[in-house]
Amino acid sequence: MSVRDLIPWSGNNGHKAPSLLRDDDRDPFLSLHREVNRLFDDAFRGFGSNFPSLTGRSGFGGGWPNVEISDNEKEIMVTAEVPGLEEKDIEVLLNDGVLTLKGEKHSETEDKDRQFSERYYGRFERRIPLGAEVKEDNIDARFRNGVLTVTLPKSEQAQSQVKRIAIKS
């Protein structure tokens, strides 16, 4: 057997032309399944970054939870939106100038009358480099109505390093 016999389009010796369809594209059920998944992913993409796609991946760059960081001369304030979580589900860590927010969500719904149950599990971890020395003993973390606010007061040394730059016209 020559190598030419292995190539389906290599001549006129009874071989048919190669198909442009993959084997799973010829199966109508697999094709329908793929199209329905794509349809749902496209439809739910507009719900924002707190809604993961049906494939388990977030199409939003891993941006859950939404975090806002404000920095002024005296403190750094980090606010994270974590709807549906409770205080016990969240962990806040500071290690070597990096603030880490971790959390895990478990949600289970069951309706025996309608024979319906749904489970959702999700984890997140956001690491935020602070870029300034903070007073570790005075860090304040508060959680209220699905919003976590962490206030990190800057050290005196970090406050003294702030330099105002004049803007010229």
Side-chain angles (χ1 to χ4, degrees), residues 85 89-93 100-104 123-127:
L85 294 183
D89 299 327
I90 302 170
E91 186 176 10
V92 180
L93 305 167
T100 303
L101 308 176
K102 291 182 179 182
E104 189 166 359
R123 299 180 71 170
F124 71 87
E125 181 172 326
R126 293 287 302 267
R127 294 174 186 250

Side-chain angles (χ1 to χ4, degrees), residues 35-119:
E35 288 299 314
V36 169
N37 281 346
R38 186 188 57 77
L39 175 72
F40 275 98
D41 281 346
D42 289 347
F44 288 123
R45 191 168 288 128
F47 282 101
S49 62
N50 288 341
F51 196 89
S53 73
L54 295 178
T55 60
R57 299 179 310 267
S58 177
F60 309 96
W64 189 75
N66 290 333
V67 174
E68 180 179 313
I69 303 168
S70 63
D71 185 358
N72 61 38
E73 293 177 14
K74 296 188 184 242
E75 66 187 13
I76 299 170
M77 186 177 297
V78 178
T79 306
E81 298 175 11
V82 285
L85 294 183
E86 297 177 18
E87 185 178 337
K88 66 179 177 59
D89 299 327
I90 302 170
E91 186 176 10
V92 180
L93 305 167
L94 179 66
N95 184 19
D96 199 25
V98 177
L99 180 70
T100 303
L101 308 176
K102 291 182 179 182
E104 189 166 359
K105 181 177 186 176
H106 302 280
S107 176
E108 295 186 24
T109 306
E110 187 170 352
D111 187 346
K112 292 187 181 200
D113 295 335
R114 296 182 188 169
Q115 297 179 348
F116 171 79
S117 69
E118 180 178 70
R119 291 174 183 80

Side-chain angles (χ1 to χ4, degrees), residues 16-28:
K16 60 182 178 178
S19 172
L20 298 176
L21 298 174
R22 297 183 319 222
D23 287 337
D24 57 344
D25 286 335
R26 292 182 204 152
D27 184 345

